[in-house]
Each structure stands twice: as C-alpha cells, then as structure tokens.
C-alpha cells in the first residue's frame, strides 16, 4: 500500500456523524473502532480519519491539517475559509431561515430593519441583510437560539431548520429561507498529485454509492404482446433486459428506475400490463 495517505475530518458527534461514517463504510472503507476516538485509520484504504467539532473542520482543511473534510454547507459558508467544495453528499439537509413570533406578520426583508436578530450564523445573516440593504442588530448565540424572543433577548431569530418543530414549540414560525444546506466534501487547495489520485479514487466510490441510492432495480413479468409498450416506459441505463419465462407468451423484464420517477413509472407499468413487479435496492452502481 502507498505510503501516501488522505486525512479526512468528519464531525465527532451531531447530525452528520452517523451519515459520514456510514458513507465511508458503504465505500468499502473499514474503520477501526471509532467509539470515543479522536483519530483512527482504515485497514484497507490509505485514509486517516479525524473526529472534530464541525465548526473547526473548514479551518483544519484550509490549514492542511486535514486534506479533506465532510461538513455542512451552512458551517462552510459561515466560516468563509479558503477551501474547495468538490461534492454534495445528499445528507444532512436543512435550511437557515428567519423565524418570527407566530402572532406577528412578516413584511419581507425590509421589515427586519432595526430588529434584534439572534443567530449562530452572524456572517451569513450579515450577508443576507447587506444584500437587502437592511440594518439590524445581530446577537450571536452559540445554542438554543429559538428561545431568544421568549426571554426578550431578540425580536427575530435566524436558525437552522429541518422539521420546524423546535420553532413551533417556542412560539415561532419560519418566514424566509436564507440558505439551503446539505453535507459537502471539501478539500485543501494544495494537495499533491498522489493525494489527488487517492481523492479521485474515493470520489469514484462516493459517486457510485450516491448513484445507487438514487435508483431502484425493478423486475416484472410482462405478456409478450405488451412488451413494446412496457419497454417504451423504461429508460434504464441502456435498454432493459428481457428474458423468456417458463410460461409461454410471457417475459421477465429487468431495468433500473430513478428514485425521482419511480412511483409514476410503477403506476404506468401496471396500467401497461406488467405484473409481479419486484423492486430491489441497489448497493453499488458503476457506470
């Protein structure tokens, strides 16, 4: 195995930890016991893993302490470090939103003029206000932002939202989205050629796993006289596989459907004559 290794920083706890470690495992990367560890190595891929606070990951990658990192876009943009985003990972989705007391009306960004805004994202909120020519008083809070209006600390909050239940429980309502965020893979801008080769290998595996999650393998039985209609509904990667069944006049059709069009296509396939439709998750998908 090459002496060159990639060093990756991931969240040591919190909403991205589980998905980040699961992604590495789905990429075939075995990690030694990661429980309560700050650093570990893979036994079958030249990768060293650092477990850090998410707020620190952009800085570590910029400084080259870590070569790459998995972090939320919200943290990445708030920290404003000189790193490159190389892949959106599709998990950890949330949004940074403006929320106000439920009994108030929202009149757009201009209604924030002169307000006190509590947030853990002062840089992003300042950018948003500047883009709308609004002047407001930003109170930076490291946690429990949603209680600020209730205790008189602020009039408005700008906080991360996923389901909105926390805002609701604190008498707030979401009125505007500043940023939509998900986990991203970032890299240091001065990697060596050997490190870039390793990164490309890792990216190939990540994209293979992502592609598989967005598609389903579908098998169905189709009367031969309806094959043409059914096949016309199946985009597939090239064309569907068609195999004769033991029953005369029937064939088994195998294809791949994207998650986005899956339910609509299944309904169309049933109407076209497909029966016994079997849907199988895809573990890896190499194109």
């Amino acid at each position: 195995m090459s002496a060159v290794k990639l060093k990756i920083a991931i969240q040591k706890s919190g909403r991205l930890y589980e998905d980040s470690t699961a992604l590495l495992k789905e990429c075939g990367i075995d990690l030694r016991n990661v429980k309560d560890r700050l650093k570990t190595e893979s036994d079958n891929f030249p990768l060293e893993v650092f477990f850090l606070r998410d707020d620190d990951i952009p800085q570590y990658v910029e400084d080259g302490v870590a070569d790459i990192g998995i972090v939320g876009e919200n943290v990445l943009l708030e920290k404003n470090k000189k790193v490159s985003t190389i892949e959106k990972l599709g998990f950890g989705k949330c949004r940074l939103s403006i929320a106000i007391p439920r009994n108030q009306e929202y009149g757009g960004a201009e209604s924030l003029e002169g307000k006190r805004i509590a947030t853990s994202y002062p840089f992003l909120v300042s950018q948003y206000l500047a883009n709308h020519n609004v002047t407001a008083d930003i109170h930076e809070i490291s946690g429990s932002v949603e209680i600020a209006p209730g205790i008189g600390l602020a009039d408005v909050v700008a906080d991360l939202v996923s389901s909105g239940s926390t805002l609701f429980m604190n008498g707030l309502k979401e009125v505007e989205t500043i940023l939509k965020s998900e986990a991203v893979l970032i890299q240091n801008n001065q990697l060596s050629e050997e490190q870039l080769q390793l990164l490309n290998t890792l990216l190939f595996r990540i994209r293979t796993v992502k592609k598989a999650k967005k598609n389903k393998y579908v098998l169905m039985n189709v009367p031969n006289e309806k094959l043409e209609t059914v096949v016309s509904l199946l985009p597939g990667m090239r064309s569907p596989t068609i195999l004769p069944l033991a029953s005369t006049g029937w064939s088994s059709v195998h294809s791949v459907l994207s998650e986005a069009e899956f339910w609509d296509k299944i309904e169309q396939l049933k109407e076209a004559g497909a029966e016994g439709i079997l849907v199988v998750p895809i573990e890896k998908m190499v194109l």
Side-chain angles (χ1 to χ4, degrees):
M1 184 177 291
S2 170
V4 177
K5 289 187 177 182
L6 272 182
K7 295 172 289 185
I8 183 171
I10 66 175
Q11 195 177 36
K12 68 177 179 181
S13 62
R15 63 190 187 89
L16 299 186
Y17 169 78
E18 294 291 344
D19 286 329
S20 298
T21 53
L23 176 62
L24 293 178
K25 290 176 182 177
E26 288 170 341
C27 289
I29 297 172
D30 292 335
L31 299 178
R32 298 170 189 168
N33 183 21
V34 298
K35 185 176 176 58
D36 299 324
R37 298 281 293 275
L38 296 179
K39 185 175 76 169
T40 190
E41 294 185 16
S42 170
D43 291 321
N44 63 347
F45 191 87
L47 188 72
E48 191 171 5
V49 184
F50 300 152
F51 299 96
L52 306 172
R53 289 179 64 252
D54 57 347
D55 288 352
D56 294 333
I57 291 174
Q59 183 72 64
Y60 273 69
V61 174
E62 181 186 66
D63 292 344
V65 176
D67 304 311
I68 58 177
I70 296 176
V71 68
E73 285 178 289
N74 54 301
V75 173
L76 175 64
L77 296 174
E78 175 65 26
K79 295 303 178 182
N80 196 30
K81 300 300 179 182
K82 295 178 181 177
V83 298
S84 297
T85 300
I86 49 176
E87 187 77 12
K88 293 194 173 190
L89 299 176
F91 59 81
K93 291 186 178 182
C94 61
R95 55 197 180 274
L96 177 62
S97 293
I98 299 289
I100 65 174
R102 285 206 305 272
N103 60 359
Q104 295 182 10
E105 295 296 322
Y106 182 65
E110 58 272 18
S111 67
L112 300 175
E113 182 71 34
K115 299 289 188 182
R116 297 169 300 162
I117 304 176
T119 186
S120 299
Y121 298 90
F123 178 76
L124 289 174
V125 173
S126 295
Q127 277 192 325
Y128 170 79
L129 295 174
N131 289 339
H132 290 83
N133 297 314
V134 171
T135 300
D137 185 11
I138 297 175
H139 291 258
E140 183 177 358
I141 301 177
S142 60
S144 301
V145 173
E146 61 279 349
I147 71 169
I151 61 176
L153 179 62
D155 308 301
V156 177
V157 305
D159 199 15
L160 286 188
V161 180
S162 49
S163 68
S165 60
T166 303
L167 293 179
F168 183 82
M169 287 188 295
N170 285 276
L172 301 174
K173 62 181 178 181
E174 183 181 2
V175 292
E176 188 158 348
T177 298
I178 295 175
L179 170 74
K180 291 184 178 180
S181 174
E182 65 182 273
V184 293
L185 184 66
I186 61 174
Q187 73 165 80
N188 176 274
N189 291 326
Q190 299 184 17
L191 298 185
S192 68
E193 284 298 320
E194 293 87 351
Q195 289 171 319
L196 287 172
Q197 288 177 7
L198 285 177
L199 177 55
N200 286 334
T201 299
L202 179 60
L203 272 174
F204 172 77
R205 296 191 186 190
I206 289 173
R207 288 166 180 165
T208 297
V209 170
K210 284 176 59 185
K211 187 71 174 176
K213 288 183 177 180
K214 292 180 179 179
N215 290 274
K216 303 289 185 184
Y217 190 72
V218 183
L219 305 85
M220 67 203 79
N221 299 330
V222 181
N224 288 344
E225 67 269 17
K226 296 186 177 180
L227 273 176
E228 186 175 348
T229 302
V230 168
V231 168
S232 70
L233 296 171
L234 295 170
M237 291 177 288
R238 292 186 182 273
S239 62
T241 300
I242 302 174
L243 302 170
L245 291 178
S247 300
T248 304
W250 286 79
S251 295
S252 176
V253 179
H254 300 208
S255 188
V256 173
L257 290 178
S258 72
E259 190 78 51
E261 63 182 354
F262 174 76
W263 288 111
D264 287 339
K265 287 292 185 184
I266 289 296
E267 290 298 322
Q268 294 174 34
L269 290 166
K270 286 177 62 180
E271 291 173 4
E275 299 180 9
I277 300 174
L278 179 64
V279 181
V280 183
I282 303 172
E283 184 176 335
K284 306 288 188 296
M285 190 168 174
V286 182
L287 300 179

